[in-house]
Amino acid sequence: MEKQAYTVEMEVAKAIYKILTEFEKQLDNEEADSKLLDYRTWKISETRFFNYMQILSDAGLIQGVTVEDGPNGMYMTVRKPKITLKGIEYLVENGAMQTVSKIVNKVADLTIGVVTNKI
């Protein structure tokens, strides 16, 4: 059960990282690409996308996006969406952690391979 929770957490973290990365790329544009704010771009449900946007906005990682509950379900209001300094810091910190994680996994694989070959 613990491994499944870890996998779910990693998938959510990856999705959020991807979305933030695309927001960061939009800093060179006058207006955000409309595909960035379309749940189909991310191949996830509309509800999940709205929840991710709300999480990112509530955490101060993006601005210009508001998600609210309405009589017909959730809806999103967008006004000049962009990544914040806090969002950029998140990308920097998590990008470094991903690099460290990859290195640790490679070292572990090499170590296991060496031990296995000696047996």
Side-chain angles (χ1 to χ4, degrees), residues 27-60:
L27 290 176
D28 290 325
N29 302 332
E30 284 285 323
E31 293 188 25
D33 184 346
S34 61
K35 290 180 184 177
L36 179 66
L37 299 166
D38 184 349
Y39 70 95
R40 291 170 287 233
T41 299
W42 307 104
K43 298 179 179 143
I44 57 177
S45 71
E46 184 176 38
T47 301
R48 179 174 288 268
F49 179 71
F50 283 165
N51 283 319
Y52 283 168
M53 290 294 104
Q54 186 168 20
I55 290 166
L56 292 169
S57 182
D58 290 350

